[in-house]
Amino acid sequence: MNSGQKIADSDKTVRSKVRNMFTGQQSRQGMWLLPLLGFIVLAVVLSVQTQQFFSAENLFNLVAQAMPLIIAAIGQMFVILLGGLDLSVGSVISFTTAILALEGPGFILIPAVFLLAGLIGFTNGIVVTRFNVHPIIATLSMQYILLGITRMLRPVSGGTVPDIVISAVAGSFLGVPLPVFWGLFVILVAWKILHGSRYGLHLFAIGGGIAAGTTDAAHNFGIADKRNIILAYMACSCFAALAGVFLAGRIVSGDPNVGLGFEIDAITAVAIGGAQLSGGVGSLHGTVIGAMVMALLANGMNLANISPFIQTAIKGAILVFVVAFQSRKRMGL
Amino acid sequence: MANAIYSGLVQRLLRVPPAIYVFLILLIILSISRPHMLNVNVMGIFIRQVVPLGILVLAQQLVMRVNSIDLSGGGVILLINYLISSSVFPGAPLWFFVPMALMIGTGIGLFNGYMVSKRRVSAVIVTLAVSIILIGLVQFLSSGKPPGDVPSIFSDIYNTKFWSIPTPVLFWVFLSVLMALFLARTVFGRYVSSVGANAQAAHFSGVPVERTVILAHTLAGLIAGIAALVQTASIAVGSVRVGLDLPILAVAATILGGVVFGRGEGGVSGPFFGVLSFALLFVVMTTFGIDDPGKLMAQGMIILLAAIFYGVRTAKS
């Protein structure tokens, strides 16, 4: 992998070309074709098993169910591309629903939510880059602080969110339910950030350097790595807040436990989508596919009447399984 | 001249783990606000409550010294608590439960170690996922309800005292001394510190890096099994929520005690005082009427500030 000779050799045969396409060995986008196949297989199995699966109603419903995870996973992907992890995503989601359920006009609460999320991400980024704290420790402590604030604001679920949030999630436009437009909007924004801007390129550069063990590689090429890392944490929190707004619209109230375990689901989705947790490798389409695979799995397990407790156990097992087959040099955290 | 002494003194004071300062501050707060609480009997009860945490901290600091982390302790405690308190093994004696708990802990630790060192999986991911799997499994088996009662022999042992000091506290001190000797006097202890300082350099010096990490995780699993036994004895009933926040508290106490990833400056005594600080912190917060959300925030702030304290120092050196 480190020499041009090897790449040239691998290009000789069609078979290795195909293998590279599926395993994503030399790709910056990682292994996303295999999860896509998994997604198609799952969809086919589900549609054979149940008649109603391919009805428009069920598919739209599935999109609405999967949307919070898709949004949160896209946010998580920015941080994972840098070799970090954001464990505060779930808390940000709960926090967002709690803020939205404070009685107040929507035009104040909604900007406030994103402002606060940006502030949370900014704090995470500053602690990681300037104070040299490991991302996992920084975001873990942020998770606990936010959980405490959320439980203080709203000990049990209740309150009502502004009407505009509810109608933005529940309504439909031209016969298509609004969650589909949420999905299109989020994917377009993330695509612009990741694949359509210099910032996205810098993210891959910084992450690649971190994955290779030379943390200042991108810095030496004149990339403002610390600023970009802080921006990635802010993006992650803002996407989590967006997922929180969507969830608040669906459950119509504030719930301090709604985001519980969301960070792990988001990490699993990103990992299924072919991103390497050591950084530098990953893609937007892979992440979306990963989140859709998770949603289909949950849907299938619900149809098969599997206990929710076993479902969490299965999700954990999938995470271990997926991550166990990623090659990584670094040992430990 | 005076400047040099001053900076030397400051350097020396900065080298003391933050846990000692936190412990002293909390002790002063408590001695001013509730002086009658500071006697052996009351303090013994408070410290006895954190013994499971203290034992789990021994496991946590071992893996954190080799640049890893173990968040699976919550799942291990829950599983062992379930197996002891439910009717899976009706009427089984103590000598059956203790080896069973130790074997389960060791097995899970071995799995963690294998995944972390051989497969190079992120330790956070694998141990967190293992914890999630175990919690899901236990909640499924017990269908979310508390399973049952713990055999009374557990609480009988737990409630004994020697020279007015509770037995669990003595047991914790004994294990801590054992761990300190183990880290300071054995070859494995040296391997641990060299792997933590620089895994690559350790590898080129002939240290079996992978084996050291596996062994550290396996031992951590074994210690988590011990912690599970003590925790089960302390609550004396089956529960589906017991010990879930212990791994995070263990990380907090370890960092507060001056053992941060790969660096074991605080020794074993630093994290020991970290645990004692948490014992006092719970007492202080209860006496001042701070409830659950406040405790969560305090935990988070402590982890954050202790980590920043060490992070800034690493950046300077």
Side-chain angles (χ1 to χ4, degrees):
Chain A
M1 206 155 70
N2 47 3
S3 63
Q5 181 65 37
K6 213 168 175 181
I7 295 168
D9 282 345
S10 69
D11 279 349
K12 273 180 191 159
T13 60
V14 177
R15 189 191 291 173
S16 59
K17 248 187 186 173
V18 171
R19 193 195 300 142
N20 277 347
M21 214 164 90
F22 277 95
T23 58
Q25 286 271 307
Q26 279 139 24
S27 159
R28 195 171 72 190
Q29 307 197 324
M31 178 191 72
W32 59 272
L33 262 175
L34 223 53
L36 183 62
L37 277 183
F39 174 73
I40 293 168
V41 168
L42 264 175
V44 168
V45 168
L46 278 177
S47 55
V48 170
Q49 292 271 315
T50 51
Q51 259 74 50
Q52 313 93 328
F53 181 79
F54 254 113
S55 66
E57 192 187 354
N58 188 44
L59 286 183
F60 285 140
N61 207 0
L62 204 62
V63 169
Q65 272 175 14
M67 198 47 62
L69 183 60
I70 292 176
I71 301 173
I74 287 174
Q76 186 73 261
M77 176 193 64
F78 288 108
V79 177
I80 284 180
L81 279 178
L82 294 165
L85 277 182
D86 192 342
L87 296 177
S88 65
V89 165
S91 286
V92 171
I93 290 175
S94 303
F95 178 66
T96 304
T97 65
I99 293 280
L100 283 178
L102 296 172
E103 305 300 328
F107 65 89
I108 294 177
L109 287 180
I110 294 170
V113 156
F114 287 100
L115 212 65
L116 287 169
L119 199 66
I120 292 163
F122 184 71
T123 316
N124 281 336
I126 286 284
V127 171
V128 169
T129 54
R130 299 288 166 186
F131 295 133
N132 208 13
V133 175
H134 197 283
I136 286 159
I137 298 298
T139 54
L140 194 69
S141 48
M142 183 54 84
Q143 177 190 0
Y144 272 72
I145 295 169
L146 279 182
L147 206 61
I149 298 174
T150 309
R151 295 228 170 120
M152 198 169 273
L153 283 174
R154 194 154 286 286
V156 289
S157 68
T160 42
V161 299
D163 289 334
I164 181 162
V165 175
I166 300 169
S167 52
V169 174
S172 63
F173 180 68
L174 299 176
V176 180
L178 284 177
V180 176
F181 293 103
W182 279 66
L184 288 176
F185 170 72
V186 168
I187 289 170
L188 275 177
V189 168
W191 184 85
K192 178 65 190 158
I193 296 176
L194 195 65
H195 297 301
S197 77
R198 188 174 297 183
Y199 173 70
L201 205 59
H202 286 181
L203 276 189
F204 280 103
I206 299 167
I210 289 174
T214 46
T215 38
D216 52 354
H219 182 80
N220 292 344
F221 277 106
I223 295 173
D225 53 350
K226 290 190 172 169
R227 193 179 68 204
N228 285 342
I229 291 175
I230 293 172
L231 278 175
Y233 279 97
M234 288 173 77
C236 180
S237 288
C238 286
F239 273 99
L242 193 64
V245 172
F246 187 90
L247 262 177
R250 269 177 75 83
I251 60 176
V252 195
S253 60
D255 187 344
N257 297 320
V258 69
L260 218 63
F262 234 93
E263 59 277 354
I264 296 298
D265 283 1
I267 293 168
T268 313
V270 177
I272 289 178
Q276 299 261 325
L277 294 187
S278 47
V281 175
S283 65
L284 177 62
H285 45 275
T287 303
V288 175
I289 292 167
M292 289 303 285
V293 167
M294 295 275 290
L296 274 191
L297 266 178
N299 193 288
M301 289 194 288
N302 279 335
L303 286 175
N305 258 333
I306 293 174
S307 143
F309 300 131
I310 284 293
Q311 288 192 22
T312 34
I314 289 175
K315 278 191 220 159
I318 291 173
L319 179 57
V320 173
F321 183 79
V322 170
V323 180
F325 287 95
Q326 295 189 347
S327 62
R328 196 174 88 136
K329 285 202 191 84
R330 196 157 48 101
M331 199 193 290
L333 295 166
Chain B
M1 191 66 185
N3 215 355
I5 293 168
Y6 177 70
S7 71
L9 186 69
V10 168
Q11 284 297 314
R12 198 167 295 173
L13 286 179
L14 275 178
R15 207 150 290 171
V16 176
I20 309 261
Y21 296 122
V22 175
F23 180 72
L24 287 178
I25 292 168
L26 288 170
L27 206 61
I28 292 167
I29 293 175
L30 208 60
S31 63
I32 293 170
S33 62
R34 299 283 190 282
H36 57 274
M37 274 181 158
L38 291 174
N39 63 59
V40 177
N41 280 327
V42 177
M43 276 299 140
I45 289 169
F46 286 139
I47 292 171
R48 193 177 70 169
Q49 281 175 354
V50 294
V51 168
L53 173 66
I55 294 173
L56 204 60
V57 161
L58 293 175
Q60 194 65 258
Q61 60 170 298
L62 187 61
V63 288
M64 275 170 78
R65 276 165 207 270
V66 294
N67 249 324
S68 187
I69 197 170
D70 188 353
L71 299 174
S72 66
V76 174
I77 290 174
L78 200 63
L79 179 66
I80 291 171
N81 175 275
Y82 172 76
L83 289 178
I84 291 176
S85 61
S86 71
S87 49
V88 181
F89 305 108
L94 188 66
W95 57 260
F96 172 79
F97 282 128
V98 172
M100 181 201 71
L102 300 187
M103 264 157 62
I104 289 175
T106 313
I108 291 168
L110 187 65
F111 176 77
N112 288 339
Y114 171 77
M115 290 307 248
V116 169
S117 76
K118 293 281 185 193
R119 304 246 29 130
R120 304 282 163 105
V121 183
S122 158
V124 182
I125 301 286
V126 67
T127 56
L128 205 57
V130 163
S131 192
I132 289 171
I133 294 171
L134 293 177
I135 292 168
L137 201 65
V138 169
Q139 289 187 331
F140 170 69
L141 290 174
S142 59
S143 23
K145 291 191 289 286
D149 285 330
V150 172
S152 59
I153 182 151
F154 278 96
S155 51
D156 290 347
I157 295 175
Y158 183 76
N159 286 324
T160 53
K161 280 184 178 183
F162 281 103
W163 311 291
S164 77
I165 302 172
T167 317
V169 178
L170 287 176
F171 181 58
W172 173 35
V173 173
F174 168 72
L175 283 181
S176 299
V177 171
L178 212 61
M179 175 63 82
L181 287 176
F182 185 61
L183 286 173
R185 296 291 161 91
T186 62
V187 177
F188 175 73
R190 297 296 173 85
Y191 282 173
V192 165
S193 50
S194 67
V195 169
N198 188 336
Q200 208 169 7
H203 173 72
F204 288 127
S205 319
V207 174
V209 175
E210 292 187 346
R211 214 197 308 156
T212 307
V213 174
I214 291 186
L215 195 55
H217 267 285
T218 312
L219 277 176
L222 175 71
I223 300 170
I226 300 174
L229 285 171
V230 178
Q231 177 75 66
T232 304
S234 85
I235 61 166
V237 288
S239 163
V240 287
R241 309 204 57 79
V242 57
L244 291 185
D245 56 344
L246 280 188
I248 301 300
L249 281 175
V251 172
T254 310
I255 295 178
L256 199 61
V259 176
V260 206
F261 302 111
R263 284 147 24 102
E265 289 169 25
V268 178
S269 63
F272 189 89
F273 274 99
V275 176
L276 286 181
S277 313
F278 270 102
L280 284 189
L281 187 70
F282 292 147
V283 175
V284 168
M285 286 204 285
T286 313
T287 53
F288 284 100
I290 297 170
D291 48 356
D292 202 42
K295 281 181 186 168
L296 283 172
M297 277 193 266
Q299 278 172 33
M301 286 308 285
I302 288 172
I303 305 180
L304 192 64
L305 292 178
I308 287 176
F309 177 80
Y310 278 99
V312 171
R313 264 180 52 190
T314 339
K316 271 182 192 157
S317 63

